[in-house]
Amino acid sequence: MKYLILWLCFCSCFGQKSLFFNPNDETLQDTIRNGSSSIAVNFYDFNPNEQISFDKKITFSFNSNAGTSTTSEFLVNTNKGYMAMNKEMMESMMGIEFPHNDNLKVHYRLTNTNGKTYYYIEINGIKQVVNRLPMNEITTDETNMSVAKFNRNFTPTGNNLNVSSQNYPSNEYRNVSPETGNENFVYLANQNEVHLPPNSNPKTAGIFGLGYIYNANKTQLVTRVENQNGTAEIENIETVSIRFDGNSYRRRENIVAEDHERVTNVKEDYLAKKQEKINRATNSERTIANKEQQILNQESEMESKRKRAMNKYIEAGAPAERNSNYALESYDPKDDIEIKKLECEKRILIIDKKLESMTVSNRDYNKLQNEKPVWNRKL
């Protein structure tokens, strides 16, 4: 999974809060201008297990101000507003080769218009789709622009630029970041092939915001995005017919839920049997049974924490980058220490009980006498 995290960081290096849509800092509501009024955008309810199809393949380049450059492609569904890259496209953009073995195979990365990203992967022969939301450490998964942010923050400069070798005649829009004072530029070109409905997915997700946008009462093309980190621009657009079957991939949250149910059943059976044993204890065994009850209570609390965290994780869709967060939430090492402490106390009680019924001449007497300080030191 480290390659996926590397990809997330790579896609987030363009850094422009004033432009990109982020579900974490605003509601899943975008707006466009239609004449003098604003229209709310109704996002397409994407199902990652449907037939996934693409009608456009866009070649783009990225040149960083640090001197690095790359060229790759992404796929677009202009009807439903999602974007994707297959394994080869991701590798070309990042300049690395993903593993392709029995343990992990990466097939597609897909971003829906509302900012959710999905990875179609194969782990140990099981095809699964992993839901990924923008990471806490990353401002946004910079694939799709917010039309509301663009309209609010960017103004036309009157300058024009022919973008790329394809000479897309583009109008320049400018923004100055209030945080850094850096200039940001977006370039829009008219086009006639794609017509997005104004109040349903008015923009199409693409790398760094490149792609289609509903602006000035028509569908335009974002040909170039430029800021202090570098420049991304469209090189070529091709009409294609590419599809894959999302239904052949199991949702990661369903796999996690099944594993969670199995673990829960085993642990609940274990805890119930321990409780039955404690309940059967005789009066002479009650002191030790009470200590066992304390241990059982602590184990039950630990299991409750695990279940609460796992249920939250599953309800969130099991986003890959939150694995460690929920793992930490489900397990507190102090609980484990408390159980070890109680187990030490239980063993000391057992030793004391044995010594009470034992004479000094018993061959185990000295052995138990020597063992007791060991447990006290552990305690």
Side-chain angles (χ1 to χ4, degrees), residues 110-263:
L110 186 148
T111 300
N112 190 26
T113 314
N114 66 3
K116 270 195 176 184
T117 298
Y118 300 85
Y119 282 92
Y120 291 83
I121 61 178
E122 196 170 333
I123 299 177
N124 297 325
I126 300 175
K127 283 186 173 182
Q128 48 194 286
V129 53
V130 178
N131 168 29
R132 197 199 74 73
L133 297 173
M135 295 175 71
N136 293 338
E137 295 79 7
I138 294 176
T139 54
T140 181
D141 192 8
E142 294 177 351
T143 53
N144 50 339
M145 287 169 51
S146 163
V147 183
K149 284 186 176 182
F150 175 75
N151 287 330
R152 184 168 63 243
N153 299 318
F154 283 77
T155 55
T157 64
N159 296 328
N160 301 308
L161 181 70
N162 286 334
V163 174
S164 86
S165 58
Q166 300 300 310
N167 288 324
Y168 295 105
S170 306
N171 297 317
E172 182 183 77
Y173 290 76
R174 175 179 176 269
N175 158 266
V176 177
S177 171
E179 295 92 1
T180 63
N182 293 320
E183 289 185 311
N184 306 300
F185 296 93
V186 173
Y187 295 82
L188 300 186
N190 291 322
Q191 58 83 50
N192 296 314
E193 282 192 18
V194 174
H195 300 283
L196 302 173
N199 63 337
S200 178
N201 300 312
K203 66 205 178 308
T204 300
I207 291 297
F208 303 131
L210 302 174
Y212 300 94
I213 185 171
Y214 193 87
N215 180 63
N217 298 323
K218 57 188 174 183
T219 302
Q220 294 184 296
L221 188 66
V222 181
T223 59
R224 177 182 170 103
V225 179
E226 178 183 343
N227 65 20
Q228 74 276 7
N229 293 318
T231 302
E233 63 180 38
I234 290 176
E235 297 292 342
N236 187 50
I237 301 176
E238 179 184 350
T239 299
V240 295
S241 180
I242 297 173
R243 64 179 60 239
F244 71 92
D245 184 11
N247 192 48
S248 64
Y249 293 80
R250 295 191 62 203
R251 294 199 188 202
R252 177 65 182 168
E253 56 264 40
N254 293 342
I255 296 173
V256 172
E258 290 174 6
D259 291 340
H260 171 50
E261 185 178 3
R262 280 194 293 271
V263 171

Side-chain angles (χ1 to χ4, degrees), residues 17 21 47 52 75 81 97 120 151 181 187 196 203 229 288 315 324:
K17 292 181 180 179
F21 182 82
N47 175 11
I52 311 296
L75 302 169
E97 187 173 336
Y120 291 83
N151 287 330
Y187 295 82
L196 302 173
K203 66 205 178 308
N229 293 318
I288 294 173
E315 287 171 10
S324 59

Side-chain angles (χ1 to χ4, degrees), residues 93-116:
M93 173 154 173
M94 297 178 66
I96 65 170
E97 187 173 336
F98 285 175
H100 196 75
N101 50 50
D102 292 337
N103 296 326
L104 174 64
K105 296 177 183 178
V106 180
H107 298 301
Y108 273 91
R109 169 197 189 274
L110 186 148
T111 300
N112 190 26
T113 314
N114 66 3
K116 270 195 176 184

Side-chain angles (χ1 to χ4, degrees), residues 354-371:
K354 286 183 177 180
L355 288 173
E356 285 176 8
S357 60
M358 196 177 290
T359 63
V360 178
S361 60
N362 190 304
R363 63 180 183 177
D364 290 328
Y365 187 87
N366 287 334
K367 180 181 176 182
L368 291 170
Q369 285 279 32
N370 292 332
E371 183 186 343

